[in-house]
Amino acid sequence: MRRATLFVLALAVAAASAVAAAGGHAHVHDRESGPSGGASALVASGAQTDDAAPPERWNRTYGDAGEDTFADVVRTEDGGFVLAGWTERGGDRDGWVVKVDASGDRQWTRTIGESGTDRLYGVVRTDSGFLLAGRSDRDGGARGWMLSLAPDGTTRADRTLGTGAFTAIASGGSDGERYAFAGWTRTDAGVGGWLVAVDARGNEEWERAYSAPDGYSSARLKAVAPAPDGGYFLGGDASRDDSDAWALRVGPDGEPAWNRTRGGPGQEAIWAATRGQNSGVVLAGETERGGALDGWVLAYAADGSLAWSQRYGGPERDWLDSAMAVDGGYLFTGGTLTGRVGSADGFVVKTADDGSVRWNRSYGSSAWDKPWPAVETRDGGYLLAGRTEGFGASGKDGWLLRLDSDGQSAGTDTASDETDGQSTTDAGGNDAGDGDGGESTSTATPSAAGRLADYTGVLGVAAAGVVAVLIWRRRYRK
């Protein structure tokens, strides 16, 4: 599949250059747009779109010239949100934390880092502020990054440890006062999974490294979700000639309870995890079959048996990299090249408890748009965070997309304040690797909604989108 995709490189570069040349350059902050460039209906494999997707309430961009990305979001007590990610200027990437109110108005911003690459991938709320997980190269190589901030964004603690990166974080423990940082580390046995548990003050309780499963050369964790007994569910990928999905269940002390891999001849990966039915877990990611990439969800029971699996997408490249349990089902977000509004768009799927689709929709502008995580708002709507090159962005900007309620959520003040450990990064998942990782105006008109089969596109734009996603995913998803 990778070789086949690269075959269209020459055509794609020419098309991408033509698309990029159409943009302008407006260097402003906190840009807000009206209705999005468009929203298109998608059809998930083996399911129908029954209920109406929620309309967009607002979307806003944050940043300036360069690369600015929101990789995770958590709701705050005042109904606002804290966003975590990174910002790039002059080749130097720093951790980036932004606090906004319920309407998306910025309240404070923090840029944290030193020379080299510093990225934040996950954030959770604590009783005294926020804990953030990431990767820092400040000591000459990739190291796990733990950051503690006060409610006003003041730094309380900032430290690195080990060799590797923390690509996801979740609260947990029997009393809810433990926090788990998940990612990858390098040991004498090679690259494997990594889990570090800390208390509410950031004091380390225990650390575990998990070797690649038998038959695999390396493995990385990219998602974590709390289990009912104070342990954790973990997800990621295990690699040999290709990669397969990797799922683990560990106890309160990190001791493995079960370990599963699943995949075929193509590329599979898990990017997100959330609580499932009957003390199980639901994992979201991607699967490649017959040259097509689809969003993929696996539901495991508490004992590690597979309860169900489902693919979501169409004839082109579609993937999922966030998962959230909601009333009566799940909300997944990712990216899509199928049924595009622009070159790539946000892909949102709402399902029932068994994975059957309630609604699914793509959201975006005429340019490249990609949300990673989502949280439920107090009124039962959803806030999606990510990155966009459209809606007046000056380069690549942080993006917030606010959706109204779909009428299927309770919409109370007790709506989930966390993202349940979903994994996020540039390109639809965590940057679990060692590599580094033009503006388009918001003048596109809404597209008519339609099924996947109704979208044919232009060959050059399609090729450009495929290659852009491939290069992007290679840079940030190793």
PDB file of all heavy atoms in Angstrom, residues 453-467:
ATOM      1  N   ALA A 453     -20.281   7.018  -1.933  1.00  0.00           N
ATOM      2  CA  ALA A 453     -20.209   6.680  -3.340  1.00  0.00           C
ATOM      3  C   ALA A 453     -20.465   7.884  -4.231  1.00  0.00           C
ATOM      4  O   ALA A 453     -20.156   7.873  -5.414  1.00  0.00           O
ATOM      5  CB  ALA A 453     -21.216   5.580  -3.669  1.00  0.00           C
ATOM      6  N   ASP A 454     -21.021   8.971  -3.679  1.00  0.00           N
ATOM      7  CA  ASP A 454     -21.324  10.139  -4.486  1.00  0.00           C
ATOM      8  C   ASP A 454     -20.111  11.017  -4.729  1.00  0.00           C
ATOM      9  O   ASP A 454     -20.170  11.952  -5.516  1.00  0.00           O
ATOM     10  CB  ASP A 454     -22.397  10.988  -3.791  1.00  0.00           C
ATOM     11  CG  ASP A 454     -23.722  10.244  -3.715  1.00  0.00           C
ATOM     12  OD1 ASP A 454     -23.928   9.374  -4.571  1.00  0.00           O
ATOM     13  OD2 ASP A 454     -24.512  10.546  -2.811  1.00  0.00           O
ATOM     14  N   TYR A 455     -18.977  10.735  -4.029  1.00  0.00           N
ATOM     15  CA  TYR A 455     -17.821  11.606  -4.124  1.00  0.00           C
ATOM     16  C   TYR A 455     -16.790  10.984  -5.037  1.00  0.00           C
ATOM     17  O   TYR A 455     -16.256   9.929  -4.771  1.00  0.00           O
ATOM     18  CB  TYR A 455     -17.211  11.836  -2.735  1.00  0.00           C
ATOM     19  CG  TYR A 455     -18.135  12.617  -1.854  1.00  0.00           C
ATOM     20  CD1 TYR A 455     -19.050  11.958  -1.024  1.00  0.00           C
ATOM     21  CD2 TYR A 455     -18.126  13.997  -1.860  1.00  0.00           C
ATOM     22  CE1 TYR A 455     -19.911  12.685  -0.225  1.00  0.00           C
ATOM     23  CE2 TYR A 455     -18.975  14.719  -1.052  1.00  0.00           C
ATOM     24  CZ  TYR A 455     -19.859  14.063  -0.241  1.00  0.00           C
ATOM     25  OH  TYR A 455     -20.708  14.765   0.573  1.00  0.00           O
ATOM     26  N   THR A 456     -16.492  11.663  -6.139  1.00  0.00           N
ATOM     27  CA  THR A 456     -15.475  11.164  -7.054  1.00  0.00           C
ATOM     28  C   THR A 456     -14.216  11.996  -6.967  1.00  0.00           C
ATOM     29  O   THR A 456     -13.117  11.484  -7.022  1.00  0.00           O
ATOM     30  CB  THR A 456     -16.009  11.171  -8.495  1.00  0.00           C
ATOM     31  OG1 THR A 456     -16.429  12.492  -8.825  1.00  0.00           O
ATOM     32  CG2 THR A 456     -17.190  10.215  -8.615  1.00  0.00           C
ATOM     33  N   GLY A 457     -14.339  13.343  -6.821  1.00  0.00           N
ATOM     34  CA  GLY A 457     -13.175  14.210  -6.664  1.00  0.00           C
ATOM     35  C   GLY A 457     -12.396  14.381  -7.945  1.00  0.00           C
ATOM     36  O   GLY A 457     -12.712  13.831  -8.987  1.00  0.00           O
ATOM     37  N   VAL A 458     -11.337  15.173  -7.838  1.00  0.00           N
ATOM     38  CA  VAL A 458     -10.412  15.378  -8.931  1.00  0.00           C
ATOM     39  C   VAL A 458      -9.149  14.600  -8.624  1.00  0.00           C
ATOM     40  O   VAL A 458      -8.654  14.629  -7.501  1.00  0.00           O
ATOM     41  CB  VAL A 458     -10.083  16.877  -9.082  1.00  0.00           C
ATOM     42  CG1 VAL A 458      -9.070  17.110 -10.186  1.00  0.00           C
ATOM     43  CG2 VAL A 458     -11.360  17.664  -9.370  1.00  0.00           C
ATOM     44  N   LEU A 459      -8.585  13.908  -9.626  1.00  0.00           N
ATOM     45  CA  LEU A 459      -7.469  13.016  -9.390  1.00  0.00           C
ATOM     46  C   LEU A 459      -6.302  13.714  -8.722  1.00  0.00           C
ATOM     47  O   LEU A 459      -5.708  13.212  -7.786  1.00  0.00           O
ATOM     48  CB  LEU A 459      -7.012  12.411 -10.729  1.00  0.00           C
ATOM     49  CG  LEU A 459      -5.794  11.467 -10.655  1.00  0.00           C
ATOM     50  CD1 LEU A 459      -6.105  10.302  -9.730  1.00  0.00           C
ATOM     51  CD2 LEU A 459      -5.413  10.997 -12.038  1.00  0.00           C
ATOM     52  N   GLY A 460      -5.955  14.912  -9.198  1.00  0.00           N
ATOM     53  CA  GLY A 460      -4.804  15.611  -8.628  1.00  0.00           C
ATOM     54  C   GLY A 460      -5.004  15.938  -7.175  1.00  0.00           C
ATOM     55  O   GLY A 460      -4.113  15.742  -6.357  1.00  0.00           O
ATOM     56  N   VAL A 461      -6.185  16.443  -6.812  1.00  0.00           N
ATOM     57  CA  VAL A 461      -6.452  16.781  -5.417  1.00  0.00           C
ATOM     58  C   VAL A 461      -6.470  15.536  -4.562  1.00  0.00           C
ATOM     59  O   VAL A 461      -5.949  15.510  -3.452  1.00  0.00           O
ATOM     60  CB  VAL A 461      -7.788  17.547  -5.301  1.00  0.00           C
ATOM     61  CG1 VAL A 461      -8.117  17.813  -3.847  1.00  0.00           C
ATOM     62  CG2 VAL A 461      -7.684  18.874  -6.068  1.00  0.00           C
ATOM     63  N   ALA A 462      -7.056  14.468  -5.070  1.00  0.00           N
ATOM     64  CA  ALA A 462      -7.079  13.215  -4.319  1.00  0.00           C
ATOM     65  C   ALA A 462      -5.681  12.711  -4.068  1.00  0.00           C
ATOM     66  O   ALA A 462      -5.329  12.298  -2.968  1.00  0.00           O
ATOM     67  CB  ALA A 462      -7.891  12.165  -5.087  1.00  0.00           C
ATOM     68  N   ALA A 463      -4.840  12.740  -5.112  1.00  0.00           N
ATOM     69  CA  ALA A 463      -3.467  12.273  -4.946  1.00  0.00           C
ATOM     70  C   ALA A 463      -2.726  13.141  -3.953  1.00  0.00           C
ATOM     71  O   ALA A 463      -1.976  12.653  -3.112  1.00  0.00           O
ATOM     72  CB  ALA A 463      -2.750  12.279  -6.297  1.00  0.00           C
ATOM     73  N   ALA A 464      -2.936  14.452  -4.055  1.00  0.00           N
ATOM     74  CA  ALA A 464      -2.275  15.356  -3.120  1.00  0.00           C
ATOM     75  C   ALA A 464      -2.667  15.052  -1.689  1.00  0.00           C
ATOM     76  O   ALA A 464      -1.838  15.036  -0.789  1.00  0.00           O
ATOM     77  CB  ALA A 464      -2.616  16.805  -3.465  1.00  0.00           C
ATOM     78  N   GLY A 465      -3.951  14.799  -1.482  1.00  0.00           N
ATOM     79  CA  GLY A 465      -4.412  14.491  -0.134  1.00  0.00           C
ATOM     80  C   GLY A 465      -3.818  13.216   0.394  1.00  0.00           C
ATOM     81  O   GLY A 465      -3.391  13.130   1.536  1.00  0.00           O
ATOM     82  N   VAL A 466      -3.769  12.178  -0.440  1.00  0.00           N
ATOM     83  CA  VAL A 466      -3.225  10.894  -0.006  1.00  0.00           C
ATOM     84  C   VAL A 466      -1.769  11.024   0.380  1.00  0.00           C
ATOM     85  O   VAL A 466      -1.325  10.567   1.424  1.00  0.00           O
ATOM     86  CB  VAL A 466      -3.409   9.831  -1.111  1.00  0.00           C
ATOM     87  CG1 VAL A 466      -2.637   8.571  -0.758  1.00  0.00           C
ATOM     88  CG2 VAL A 466      -4.878   9.506  -1.300  1.00  0.00           C
ATOM     89  N   VAL A 467      -0.971  11.684  -0.484  1.00  0.00           N
ATOM     90  CA  VAL A 467       0.449  11.803  -0.202  1.00  0.00           C
ATOM     91  C   VAL A 467       0.701  12.695   1.003  1.00  0.00           C
ATOM     92  O   VAL A 467       1.556  12.428   1.833  1.00  0.00           O
ATOM     93  CB  VAL A 467       1.205  12.328  -1.443  1.00  0.00           C
ATOM     94  CG1 VAL A 467       2.646  12.642  -1.088  1.00  0.00           C
ATOM     95  CG2 VAL A 467       1.144  11.290  -2.543  1.00  0.00           C
TER      96      VAL A 467
END
